Amino acid sequence: MRIPLDRQSSIPLYEQIETYLRQGILSGSLAADTRLPASRQLARDLGVNRITVENAYAGLETEGLIYSRMGSGTYVLPPNPILTISKDGPGAPWPLWQQSVEFQDRTIKNQPLDAMFKKPLKHSPPISFDSGIGDAHLFPAEDFRKVLQTVMRRDGIAALDYGEPNGHGPLRETIVHILASQGLQTRSENVLITAGSQQALSLISQLLLKPGDVILVESPTYSGALDLFRSLNFKVVGIPVDGQGMQVEMLEKLLQQHHPKLIYTIPNFHNPTGTCLSSPRRHQLIILADRYNIPILEDDFVGDLRYEGRTQPALKALDPGGRVIYINTFSKILMPGLRVGFLVAEGPVYDCLVNFKRVNDLATSTLVQRALEAYVTVGRYQAHLRRSCQIFRKRRDAMLSAIQRYLPAEVRLDPPQGGLFIWLQLPEKLSSEKLLPLAWEEGVVFAPGNGFFPDGLGGKNWLRLNFVAQAPDQIDEGIKRLGKAIKRLTAAQ
Amino acid sequence: MRIPLDRQSSIPLYEQIETYLRQGILSGSLAADTRLPASRQLARDLGVNRITVENAYAGLETEGLIYSRMGSGTYVLPPNPILTISKDGPGAPWPLWQQSVEFQDRTIKNQPLDAMFKKPLKHSPPISFDSGIGDAHLFPAEDFRKVLQTVMRRDGIAALDYGEPNGHGPLRETIVHILASQGLQTRSENVLITAGSQQALSLISQLLLKPGDVILVESPTYSGALDLFRSLNFKVVGIPVDGQGMQVEMLEKLLQQHHPKLIYTIPNFHNPTGTCLSSPRRHQLIILADRYNIPILEDDFVGDLRYEGRTQPALKALDPGGRVIYINTFSKILMPGLRVGFLVAEGPVYDCLVNFKRVNDLATSTLVQRALEAYVTVGRYQAHLRRSCQIFRKRRDAMLSAIQRYLPAEVRLDPPQGGLFIWLQLPEKLSSEKLLPLAWEEGVVFAPGNGFFPDGLGGKNWLRLNFVAQAPDQIDEGIKRLGKAIKRLTAAQ
């Protein structure tokens, strides 16, 4: 045990030891039944006389903080509530470097939800349409448990080593085959496994941009990307989105004006609008990126979740030579908690990304990668995808008809052909952020629009509804509650 | 399936589909036995006539690339080796933004080892003293397998969700109790779980420094930290280390000269030298950091692995108010592949780190965190630590005596009282980088000294030996081989 001692101090050593242990026990950091080192051992560790330690222990024992059992050692007693000291931080102010405003800037404000958690609830928990992921109950937890067993039995210690810097080879092979079966051809030497697509996003943008550089994004776009780019002090410039996705016609002007270092786009079932980039715009986007020598980061997080209509190729599949960096994840349609995503890139940037990943966290848990590899075959992935599409299509339709039934005729939306989200426009005068607390009281939550806009304002009367996370009956009930909230807000105007 | 089609092109659609699938099959990205979509389905997906798809399939079938089984569908055949096309990248040059020198700068040069892997080997695999971790065979893989089962059975789907942004609560509690049992008192609200201590290092340094800022490190220091700092374009300034650790007497001059934004230190069983920072220097370091308003990052990766002598408190335990940010990991004494580490910080910087972690990868696998929490109790940790210390002490002694037996009398070292490493000095005229290829041929590898110095040069005649990763007999044999290599190098001078 390492106890800080000040041998210059006038306070005797036994008292310093006693004080340090007392503080640990009363603050609860030294848990009840923790065995303290034998006095001989601790005396040796600290380089003090054994009597010194015995005096300290004796003091604590008379205070009823520890007890010694003959021959078995000295143990911590459960703290006496009356004695327990405050858990607050130190009275002294934080060091100056901690008081710099930069920290305030870098801390993202919490969602308005946090403020409301205290309010009493009619229905608790509320029906949640605000998440960014699929329905946890569809995740094959039991199958995965069995696979983990197989892998641990099969690989033993190897399952717990660092593994290859660009990810578990067989898993990269599987990813190549899955992508090919979906119409994107690449090679395992171009795949890098990451801790979810969020880490891919983080590595790529940090490698290609410095603080102060401009990144071009759709407006609106994925709020988690905006949070990341802001925390890295990038300048974020938005391109408007319409029913055909990013308005590429406006791209060239923005490229000339802002000289961005990267274009971040979600061309398939865009988050939050659910739209798909039209085919002509896809070609135009790649041509412009090439002409202005700017890399494209394609986030294809639910590109395969199509419920009807024509497929669109991934931008990556249209890119002959290393212009597009592609990211995807298993979190959305398989298991979020696994935190396994991947990127596909060619050329020097791939090697830089592998190295940057290595220096950032060495590797992503090989155990999880091996288990995922053992679980996900092309066939299994396709089957899971088919099943998800069937279930999600029904849920989308359930939400669309519930919206017709319960929401005022003035709300506007484009029915999405796939993905996870419905992007809903309220009547001009209604604010989705004002609506949220009322919805919360009625027992339903959603994601307000402003959070998806680079300026944090553009989505005043918009909201995002996740239609895959709830069963149809819950969807119906949730939208009904949303309808009530909208009535109350309208009445309050 | 999403296949890119160009409807403007003069090439007929059936041919475009055929070409795209052919390329996938010949390149191997479309694996043998992959089931292709039914022609009706694919026609619907692509918005083309069913005949178009059937023509494409027919063409591929006559080429012997696919076959259709009545009523069961169309499948990819194993590629015919003669047909298989080259796996090389595109002939065209990479986009200009990929050719920027910055990428070359950012790619860390590989260890000289890579070059040698081709050479024929007397002994393969060689005995490895070059790793930075413990002995994989001591990792409790089988116990951990059982724990994973329990957790998956107990938590089911919950084990696969995102979890809390700062990490699984119960695991943070356990960490607090383990730290307290080792003499460091903190609270679970000040612990942040990370993907190994490497991610903690990355998050902290990126939060506190901008590219171009100065970071102060011991010289030599952990090479993985140097790689990270270089890839982030920080200026790295080194402070010399002697038998008492960082030479703090020189610190004040460097602080005034370089205005660093952070001091990175490994005060306990320093990597690579194995030394411990003396008690007076610890106090002096904290006083100076306070006076010059500079945060200290304490890397305590093996602080508990002491085999003899007096313990030293963690710097964190000497710091009353938020000056020291502490990082540690379970990788070194438990299981590297789990990639679970943590940091301890107080004040505004803690909240910023939690948020920065969130935007960087959302969370670290909750499954692994829950399993680790179920596995690691204070008692179990202490028992594992005791056992590791007993085993590692024997191995250190085995290496020390092997060095006496097999290496020339001119080599110099300070026997470490704990940790993983012996830091060995060769006679002045011998270069450890020249020694490595010879050692490799003799069947032993080590980490050459230069890699641990900020300037990449300081360690010309130094090398780092990991004494915990091999059993005593292997250590004896390995040092014997090292002795032969040194003889050969000396003779070659």
Side-chain angles (χ1 to χ4, degrees):
Chain A
M1 191 170 201
R2 301 186 274 164
I3 296 180
L5 295 180
D6 179 355
R7 287 161 206 280
Q8 277 67 50
S9 158
S10 60
I11 304 162
L13 291 173
Y14 84 88
E15 203 174 314
Q16 291 186 43
I17 297 171
E18 191 176 333
T19 310
Y20 193 79
L21 292 174
R22 181 188 296 110
Q23 193 192 352
I25 295 165
L26 295 181
S27 70
S29 63
L30 265 174
D33 305 324
T34 305
R35 183 185 180 164
L36 295 177
S39 55
R40 177 181 282 102
Q41 177 61 46
L42 186 56
R44 205 182 305 121
D45 289 351
L46 301 176
V48 300
N49 188 311
R50 184 175 172 185
I51 308 296
T52 310
V53 177
E54 278 166 354
N55 288 341
Y57 281 6
L60 295 167
E61 191 152 12
T62 48
E63 292 178 47
L65 297 175
I66 63 172
Y67 70 101
S68 46
R69 222 184 283 132
M70 271 315 260
S72 115
T74 309
Y75 296 84
V76 174
L77 279 165
N80 173 338
I82 297 140
L83 287 174
T84 308
I85 57 173
S86 113
K87 281 197 160 207
D88 301 342
W94 301 115
L96 283 175
W97 60 265
Q98 282 224 35
Q99 300 174 33
S100 77
V101 285
E102 196 182 285
F103 283 156
Q104 278 56 24
D105 301 350
R106 292 191 86 145
T107 317
I108 274 94
K109 309 281 156 285
N110 288 322
Q111 303 304 326
L113 273 184
D114 298 7
M116 302 181 300
F117 279 128
K118 284 140 205 69
K119 292 206 179 181
L121 279 187
K122 208 182 292 178
H123 315 271
S124 120
I127 296 170
S128 160
F129 297 137
D130 67 344
S131 96
I133 62 173
D135 180 351
H137 298 88
L138 301 178
F139 298 143
E142 178 57 16
D143 296 356
F144 194 73
R145 183 185 66 73
K146 298 197 183 104
V147 165
L148 269 173
Q149 277 314 285
T150 321
V151 169
M152 287 292 289
R153 285 222 172 82
R154 184 193 67 195
D155 302 350
I157 284 152
L160 300 173
D161 65 15
Y162 281 142
E164 301 165 72
N166 56 350
H168 187 50
L171 179 58
R172 285 184 285 112
E173 283 296 338
T174 303
I175 287 168
V176 164
H177 296 322
I178 288 175
L179 289 176
S181 78
Q182 300 303 321
L184 175 58
Q185 299 175 1
T186 182
R187 302 175 297 145
S188 62
E189 312 89 282
N190 296 111
V191 175
L192 168 61
I193 311 271
T194 57
S197 54
Q198 187 75 20
Q199 189 189 31
L201 200 57
S202 164
L203 294 172
I204 294 162
S205 56
Q206 289 183 69
L207 186 68
L208 296 174
L209 283 81
K210 298 184 305 300
D213 284 346
V214 172
I215 185 164
L216 224 62
V217 305
E218 283 131 357
S219 175
T221 188
Y222 167 49
S223 53
L226 290 174
D227 291 344
L228 171 67
F229 300 151
R230 289 191 193 112
S231 78
L232 295 168
N233 297 315
F234 299 156
K235 290 205 188 68
V236 182
V237 173
I239 315 178
V241 172
D242 62 21
Q244 302 298 302
M246 179 199 290
Q247 296 186 28
V248 177
E249 316 78 75
M250 312 173 75
L251 182 56
E252 187 151 24
K253 211 173 102 291
L254 291 169
L255 296 180
Q256 292 166 344
Q257 200 176 334
H258 298 285
H259 308 291
K261 288 285 196 314
L262 179 66
I263 301 171
Y264 170 67
T265 178
I266 310 170
N268 305 301
F269 310 119
H270 176 261
N271 179 5
T273 67
T275 54
C276 285
L277 189 63
S278 70
S279 191
R281 283 180 172 180
R282 283 172 197 250
H283 291 280
Q284 189 56 21
L285 173 56
I286 290 177
I287 289 163
L288 284 171
D290 187 42
R291 185 178 307 152
Y292 287 86
N293 185 38
I294 296 169
I296 297 173
L297 173 48
E298 174 179 33
D299 186 344
D300 197 33
F301 77 119
V302 287
D304 298 339
L305 275 180
R306 172 174 290 279
Y307 314 136
E308 70 213 5
R310 258 194 213 176
T311 61
Q312 291 278 16
L315 287 173
K316 185 76 187 154
L318 299 170
D319 165 40
R323 280 165 205 76
V324 177
I325 302 173
Y326 175 95
I327 67 178
N328 204 336
T329 174
F330 291 110
S331 301
K332 294 293 174 290
I333 40 181
L334 286 173
M335 288 153 284
L338 295 185
R339 309 303 307 122
V340 177
F342 58 90
L343 65 84
V344 181
E346 295 87 17
V349 72
Y350 176 80
D351 301 324
C352 295
L353 285 166
V354 171
N355 176 64
F356 198 48
K357 156 78 176 170
R358 184 180 64 78
V359 296
N360 268 276
D361 68 2
L362 295 187
T364 293
S365 168
T366 44
L367 171 62
V368 173
Q369 290 190 59
R370 286 165 187 264
L372 196 55
E373 191 274 327
Y375 175 77
V376 182
T377 61
V378 176
R380 225 176 197 171
Y381 181 85
Q382 289 179 319
H384 189 84
L385 191 60
R386 273 194 300 278
R387 176 157 167 272
S388 301
C389 285
Q390 285 163 9
I391 297 170
F392 293 170
R393 183 192 293 109
K394 289 205 188 69
R395 293 178 176 192
R396 178 202 57 178
D397 297 342
M399 187 172 278
L400 288 173
S401 58
I403 287 172
Q404 278 211 323
R405 201 170 317 125
Y406 300 117
L407 300 196
E410 302 77 46
V411 303
R412 298 263 165 279
L413 64 87
D414 286 330
Q417 293 190 314
L420 313 175
F421 307 121
I422 286 176
W423 182 236
L424 189 84
Q425 183 177 29
L426 299 170
E428 203 48 60
K429 60 187 192 312
L430 297 186
S431 144
S432 57
E433 279 177 356
K434 289 214 183 76
L435 177 62
L436 191 54
L438 302 178
W440 174 263
E441 285 169 29
E442 295 296 335
V444 61
V445 292
F446 57 82
N450 282 345
F452 300 97
F453 285 80
D455 60 5
L457 302 168
K460 190 184 149 306
N461 61 324
W462 292 87
L463 53 95
R464 189 192 72 178
L465 298 167
N466 176 326
F467 58 78
V468 306
Q470 306 292 338
D473 60 329
Q474 284 293 293
I475 290 175
D476 192 81
E477 175 60 25
I479 297 297
K480 194 168 167 183
R481 295 175 183 179
L482 184 60
K484 287 185 193 154
I486 293 176
K487 275 206 189 59
R488 285 175 54 193
L489 183 62
T490 319
Q493 294 288 313
Chain B
M1 190 172 203
R2 302 186 274 164
I3 295 179
L5 294 179
D6 180 355
R7 288 160 206 280
Q8 277 65 52
S9 159
S10 59
I11 304 162
L13 291 173
Y14 84 87
E15 203 174 314
Q16 293 185 40
I17 298 171
E18 193 176 331
T19 311
Y20 193 78
L21 292 174
R22 182 187 297 113
Q23 195 194 347
I25 295 164
L26 294 181
S27 70
S29 62
L30 266 173
D33 306 322
T34 304
R35 183 184 180 166
L36 295 177
S39 54
R40 176 180 283 106
Q41 178 60 47
L42 186 56
R44 205 182 304 122
D45 289 351
L46 301 176
V48 300
N49 188 310
R50 184 175 173 184
I51 308 296
T52 311
V53 177
E54 278 164 354
N55 288 341
Y57 282 7
L60 295 167
E61 191 152 12
T62 48
E63 292 178 46
L65 295 176
I66 64 172
Y67 69 101
S68 48
R69 224 186 278 133
M70 272 313 260
S72 114
T74 309
Y75 296 83
V76 174
L77 279 165
N80 172 337
I82 296 141
L83 289 174
T84 309
I85 58 174
S86 112
K87 279 197 160 205
D88 301 343
W94 302 115
L96 283 175
W97 60 266
Q98 282 225 34
Q99 300 173 32
S100 77
V101 286
E102 196 181 286
F103 282 156
Q104 278 55 24
D105 301 351
R106 293 193 84 148
T107 318
I108 273 91
K109 309 282 157 284
N110 288 321
Q111 304 303 325
L113 272 185
D114 299 8
M116 304 180 300
F117 279 128
K118 284 138 206 72
K119 292 206 184 181
L121 278 188
K122 210 183 293 181
H123 315 272
S124 113
I127 296 171
S128 160
F129 296 138
D130 66 345
S131 96
I133 62 174
D135 180 351
H137 298 89
L138 301 180
F139 299 145
E142 177 55 17
D143 297 354
F144 194 72
R145 183 186 65 73
K146 300 203 184 98
V147 165
L148 269 172
Q149 278 312 288
T150 321
V151 169
M152 288 291 289
R153 285 222 173 81
R154 184 193 68 195
D155 303 349
I157 285 153
L160 300 171
D161 65 12
Y162 280 141
E164 298 166 74
N166 56 350
H168 186 50
L171 179 57
R172 284 183 287 112
E173 283 296 338
T174 304
I175 288 169
V176 165
H177 296 322
I178 287 175
L179 290 176
S181 77
Q182 300 303 320
L184 175 57
Q185 298 176 3
T186 182
R187 302 174 298 143
S188 63
E189 313 89 281
N190 296 111
V191 175
L192 169 61
I193 311 271
T194 57
S197 54
Q198 187 76 19
Q199 189 191 32
L201 201 57
S202 165
L203 294 172
I204 295 162
S205 56
Q206 288 184 70
L207 187 68
L208 296 175
L209 282 81
K210 297 184 306 303
D213 284 346
V214 173
I215 185 163
L216 223 61
V217 305
E218 283 131 358
S219 176
T221 189
Y222 167 48
S223 54
L226 290 173
D227 290 345
L228 172 67
F229 300 151
R230 288 190 193 112
S231 78
L232 295 169
N233 298 315
F234 298 157
K235 291 206 189 68
V236 182
V237 173
I239 315 178
V241 172
D242 62 21
Q244 301 298 303
M246 177 198 292
Q247 296 185 27
V248 177
E249 316 78 75
M250 311 173 76
L251 182 56
E252 187 151 24
K253 211 174 101 289
L254 291 169
L255 295 179
Q256 292 166 344
Q257 198 175 336
H258 298 285
H259 308 290
K261 289 286 196 314
L262 181 65
I263 300 171
Y264 170 67
T265 177
I266 311 170
N268 305 302
F269 310 119
H270 177 260
N271 179 3
T273 66
T275 54
C276 285
L277 188 64
S278 69
S279 192
R281 283 180 172 181
R282 284 173 197 250
H283 290 279
Q284 189 56 21
L285 174 56
I286 290 178
I287 290 163
L288 284 172
D290 187 43
R291 185 179 309 152
Y292 287 88
N293 186 39
I294 296 169
I296 296 173
L297 173 48
E298 175 179 33
D299 186 343
D300 197 33
F301 78 120
V302 287
D304 298 338
L305 276 181
R306 171 173 292 278
Y307 314 138
E308 69 211 8
R310 256 191 212 178
T311 60
Q312 290 280 15
L315 287 172
K316 185 73 186 156
L318 298 170
D319 165 40
R323 279 164 205 76
V324 177
I325 303 174
Y326 175 93
I327 67 178
N328 205 336
T329 174
F330 291 110
S331 302
K332 294 293 175 289
I333 40 181
L334 287 173
M335 288 152 284
L338 295 184
R339 309 303 307 125
V340 176
F342 57 90
L343 64 83
V344 181
E346 296 86 18
V349 71
Y350 176 80
D351 301 325
C352 295
L353 285 166
V354 171
N355 176 63
F356 199 47
K357 157 78 175 172
R358 184 180 63 78
V359 297
N360 268 278
D361 69 359
L362 295 187
T364 293
S365 168
T366 44
L367 170 61
V368 173
Q369 289 188 59
R370 285 164 188 265
L372 195 54
E373 190 275 327
Y375 175 76
V376 182
T377 60
V378 175
R380 228 178 197 168
Y381 181 86
Q382 290 180 314
H384 188 84
L385 191 60
R386 271 194 302 276
R387 178 158 166 272
S388 302
C389 285
Q390 283 163 10
I391 297 170
F392 293 170
R393 183 192 294 110
K394 287 202 188 71
R395 294 180 177 192
R396 178 203 56 178
D397 297 341
M399 188 172 278
L400 288 174
S401 59
I403 288 172
Q404 278 211 321
R405 202 170 315 122
Y406 301 116
L407 300 196
E410 300 79 41
V411 302
R412 298 261 165 280
L413 64 87
D414 285 331
Q417 293 189 314
L420 312 176
F421 307 121
I422 285 176
W423 182 236
L424 189 82
Q425 182 176 30
L426 299 169
E428 204 47 63
K429 61 188 187 312
L430 298 185
S431 145
S432 58
E433 279 175 356
K434 288 214 184 75
L435 178 62
L436 191 54
L438 303 178
W440 173 264
E441 285 168 30
E442 295 294 334
V444 60
V445 293
F446 57 81
N450 282 345
F452 300 97
F453 284 80
D455 59 6
L457 301 170
K460 193 186 145 300
N461 61 325
W462 291 87
L463 52 95
R464 190 192 72 180
L465 298 167
N466 176 326
F467 59 78
V468 304
Q470 307 292 338
D473 59 330
Q474 284 294 294
I475 290 174
D476 191 81
E477 174 61 24
I479 297 298
K480 194 169 167 184
R481 295 176 185 179
L482 185 60
K484 287 183 194 156
I486 293 177
K487 272 202 190 60
R488 285 176 53 192
L489 184 62
T490 318
Q493 293 292 311

